Amino acid sequence: MEKIKRHKIGLFSAVMLALNSLIGSGWLFGSGSAAKIAGPAAIISWILGAVIIIAIALTYVELGSMFPESGGMSRYAQYSHGPLLGFIAAWANWISLVTLVPMEAVAAVQYMSSWPWSWANWTKQFIKNGDITFEGIGVVFIFMIIFTMINFWSVKIMTHFTNLISIFKILLPTLTIVVLICSSFHAQNFGSNIHEFMPYGTRSIFEATSVSGIIMSYDAFQTVINMGGELKNPRKNIVRGVLISMLITAAIYIMLQVTFIGEIKPSMLAKVGWHGINFTSPFADIAIILGINWLVILLYLDAFVSPFGTGVAFVATASRALAAMTHTRHLPKWLGRLNQKYLIPRYAMVVDLILAAILVSLFRNWNLLATVITAATLIAYLTGPVTVMTLRKISPNIDRPFKPRYMPWLAPIAFVLTSLAIYWSMWPTTIQVILVIAVGLPVYIYYEIHYQHSNLKEQLKHCLWMIGYLIFISIMSYIGSTGFGGQDWIKYPFDFGIIIIASLVFYYWGIKSGMQRLDPYAEKIAQNKKSVSYTHLTLPTNSLV
């Protein structure tokens, strides 16, 4: 059979694609939201968020370099714990990816609604009381269709588009930092003592990390891993692409937060405090106050470019994640079908677009969408540290291009930090997201009963630790401290101590619950020296047990 020529993505394009996803609406809104919650201590929130996501990313980098395949992050848990856990992790991850698409469109529309020019008064009707209006939703739909169309024809078009936009997305935040700091910087805003630096206590640092979109802003490291089947030299470039893009992004976001804090007028702070700082378009509003009109224009332009670039990248990532999920045969097979000419999962893209339209109709607020995405993403990421150590246990001899010696102690730390960040998402968001994830289980059970006829009891044994964990974190979120939405039956910081201890129990239970041997499909990928795309391998039926 004649082999179809595929366009391969180099390291530069992979980094640009990741940066295009990472530097999205988070830089436009995150600094303002975090400072309002935590004051100058929001800087620590951005550092903490970077530490959490890099720790998680390193576990997935090992997995991605072992199994370089498109949509890989939707499959790793299946390789170590079977299809039920794999489906739960993949479903949670897919929900978060799809939700990112309308969130980026909402960000663009929100900035449009604050245009300061008289000819643009018609855009002010797009937002009312922080929520997208009916007119605004129409514009959001148009933006999401454009995101999808750019991806619809080929990877080559998408990467050329992202390479161009990513350079702009890196330069403008950097320019904003330099110009604003040189124009006006109030060092006294950072305080002269710990109370002034941390005016709302340590709890606000953790709250800002999840609630203000910080975790969400770092989430897109998985773009490189999910495109693994389309990378040149994936076993090296997955590692390089993830680490380079994450370090660049962390530096930009932390400096943006420093800049925002230093730009607020001390007289304004003395009057309303950090809780009273409420900018619709944070950096653009500051530039308007300072009279830097050319920067205002660039920032409003970037309010299109950043969300557009990120939206385009996540249409690619979400569609590949959905298409990859069809290999367990718990979703319709046609969702994984590719266009024969461009090898693009078009059916998956259309389904993602429809779901994105439904989500934005239900959740019309950027901050709400960001918090939901954070919780869903972190639940999916919980499987990474467990999977990477389980595979080291059951398949120690498999080729691992990236095998750090520190993984045995990094993995449990990553699991604990992820668990804490889920708790920081606050009740009732935690239980709402868990219920959304649970909606996927009837779909799984239907296909399992009607088509697979495999041992559900055996699958449940490998997955019971995750079900137990989700019940635990739901209860803990409800009875925990009031600062995180709970009933204050367990006060801060004792709630953190309980979560840390319980998380370690669930982590080691998860490793002990792994399968006895590696999934046969994963063995085929690991043995293949060249990267594998989900279009070139047929999943054997015996890989489901």
Side-chain angles (χ1 to χ4, degrees):
M1 182 177 175
E2 186 179 351
K3 199 170 185 178
I4 301 172
K5 186 178 179 181
R6 296 175 62 84
H7 176 76
K8 292 286 185 177
I9 302 172
L11 176 61
F12 176 78
S13 290
V15 171
M16 289 298 103
L17 183 62
L19 289 174
N20 192 36
S21 302
L22 284 159
I23 305 174
S25 57
W27 93 267
L28 296 170
F29 297 102
S31 295
S33 179
K36 185 176 181 178
I37 294 171
I43 296 168
I44 301 176
S45 299
W46 284 99
I47 295 171
L48 179 60
V51 169
I52 292 171
I53 295 299
I54 288 174
I56 296 168
L58 288 171
T59 67
Y60 279 101
V61 165
E62 177 168 328
L63 295 169
S65 63
M66 290 166 65
F67 311 113
E69 53 178 334
S70 295
M73 287 190 65
S74 295
R75 300 185 187 180
Y76 301 144
Q78 176 191 332
Y79 297 162
S80 62
H81 287 77
L84 178 55
L85 182 64
F87 182 86
I88 292 173
W91 184 270
N93 190 47
W94 173 64
I95 290 294
S96 69
L97 292 173
V98 173
T99 310
L100 274 158
V101 176
M103 189 195 72
E104 295 300 327
V106 166
V109 172
Q110 184 167 329
Y111 254 72
M112 282 181 66
S113 72
S114 65
W115 281 351
W117 306 289
S118 58
W119 59 265
N121 286 335
W122 57 277
T123 63
K124 298 188 185 305
Q125 63 183 321
F126 294 162
I127 298 285
K128 185 176 181 181
N129 299 324
D131 293 335
I132 293 285
T133 62
F134 180 78
E135 293 84 358
I137 284 181
V139 180
V140 169
F141 286 170
I142 293 171
F143 287 170
M144 291 193 300
I145 291 170
I146 295 172
F147 298 165
T148 303
M149 289 298 100
I150 291 173
N151 277 277
F152 210 66
W153 279 279
S154 79
V155 171
K156 191 172 183 178
I157 293 174
M158 186 265 292
T159 51
H160 284 172
F161 176 82
T162 54
N163 284 352
L164 179 64
I165 279 191
S166 296
I167 293 171
F168 180 78
K169 289 174 69 173
I170 295 170
L171 290 178
L172 187 55
T174 305
L175 180 65
T176 300
I177 292 167
V178 173
V179 171
L180 292 182
I181 287 179
C182 291
S183 299
S184 171
F185 191 80
H186 307 287
Q188 63 265 42
N189 289 354
F190 295 87
S192 57
N193 55 60
I194 192 68
H195 176 72
E196 291 178 357
F197 179 75
M198 202 180 297
Y200 308 116
T202 55
R203 180 194 57 77
S204 64
I205 296 172
F206 306 120
E207 179 186 344
T209 304
S210 285
V211 174
S212 64
I214 291 175
I215 294 287
M216 180 277 302
S217 297
Y218 288 125
D219 171 46
F221 76 86
Q222 64 174 289
T223 301
V224 176
I225 297 173
N226 275 327
M227 297 290 285
E230 289 146 281
L231 291 179
K232 296 175 183 175
N233 192 14
R235 292 174 179 263
K236 290 184 178 179
N237 284 342
I238 286 175
V239 178
R240 295 167 179 169
V242 169
L243 293 181
I244 292 171
S245 60
M246 281 297 298
L247 291 174
I248 292 173
T249 302
I252 290 173
Y253 277 133
I254 292 166
M255 284 308 301
L256 281 167
Q257 185 66 72
V258 170
T259 302
F260 182 85
I261 292 168
E263 294 307 310
I264 304 299
K265 288 185 176 181
S267 58
M268 182 184 294
L269 280 179
K271 186 176 180 181
V272 300
W274 287 106
H275 280 347
I277 302 298
N278 189 22
F279 292 130
T280 304
S281 310
F283 287 104
D285 289 345
I286 288 174
I288 289 172
I289 292 171
L290 295 175
I292 312 173
N293 294 327
W294 63 268
L295 182 60
V296 173
I297 294 171
L298 283 177
L299 287 167
Y300 279 118
L301 176 62
D302 188 69
F304 277 100
V305 173
S306 285
F308 257 75
T310 306
V312 167
F314 272 104
V315 166
T317 306
S319 61
R320 283 158 178 80
L322 178 58
M325 286 169 65
T326 63
H327 279 291
T328 63
R329 297 195 177 107
H330 294 101
L331 288 176
K333 190 176 180 180
W334 55 267
L335 283 173
R337 197 175 301 158
L338 301 183
N339 172 269
Q340 289 301 308
K341 183 176 181 181
Y342 298 112
L343 298 177
I344 297 295
R346 287 183 169 179
Y347 291 104
M349 284 183 187
V350 172
V351 170
D352 285 350
L353 177 61
I354 293 170
L355 179 58
I358 295 171
L359 287 168
V360 78
S361 299
L362 297 173
F363 305 103
R364 302 187 177 192
N365 181 285
W366 186 90
N367 283 315
L368 178 59
L369 286 167
T371 307
V372 169
I373 290 165
T374 297
T377 300
L378 291 170
I379 289 171
Y381 286 168
L382 274 174
T383 59
V386 173
T387 294
V388 75
M389 293 311 300
T390 302
L391 290 178
R392 284 197 179 193
K393 174 184 173 184
I394 64 176
S395 296
N397 298 322
I398 198 170
D399 180 33
R400 289 174 169 81
F402 179 74
K403 186 183 178 182
R405 294 181 180 178
Y406 52 76
M407 190 60 73
W409 59 262
L410 177 67
I413 291 174
F415 189 94
V416 168
L417 289 174
T418 304
S419 186
L420 285 169
I422 293 170
Y423 178 70
W424 301 338
S425 297
M426 302 176 67
W427 179 275
T429 303
T430 45
I431 188 64
Q432 290 170 345
V433 171
I434 289 170
L435 290 175
V436 169
I437 294 170
V439 167
L441 291 179
V443 178
Y444 179 91
I445 293 170
Y446 173 81
Y447 276 87
E448 189 68 27
I449 292 173
H450 284 78
Y451 300 104
Q452 305 302 331
H453 311 295
S454 55
N455 191 337
L456 270 173
K457 185 178 179 181
E458 183 70 15
Q459 292 183 39
L460 186 61
K461 184 181 78 172
H462 298 309
C463 186
L464 199 57
W465 69 272
M466 173 60 86
I467 296 172
Y469 172 83
L470 293 177
I471 294 171
F472 161 76
I473 202 67
S474 298
I475 295 172
M476 195 64 207
S477 183
Y478 180 75
I479 67 176
S481 57
T482 52
F484 299 100
Q487 299 296 306
D488 211 30
W489 296 352
I490 301 176
K491 299 186 182 299
Y492 173 81
F494 299 106
D495 48 353
F496 280 30
I498 292 172
I499 291 171
I500 290 169
I501 294 169
S503 295
L504 289 173
V505 171
F506 283 110
Y507 168 78
Y508 289 108
W509 181 10
I511 294 175
K512 191 174 181 180
S513 300
M515 297 190 298
Q516 295 300 312
R517 62 185 295 267
L518 181 65
D519 185 297
Y521 179 66
E523 288 180 354
K524 283 192 175 184
I525 298 170
Q527 290 167 5
N528 190 351
K529 291 185 179 179
K530 292 185 178 180
S531 64
V532 180
S533 171
Y534 56 76
T535 59
H536 296 307
L537 281 180
T538 302
L539 185 68
T541 54
N542 64 354
S543 69
L544 296 175
V545 292

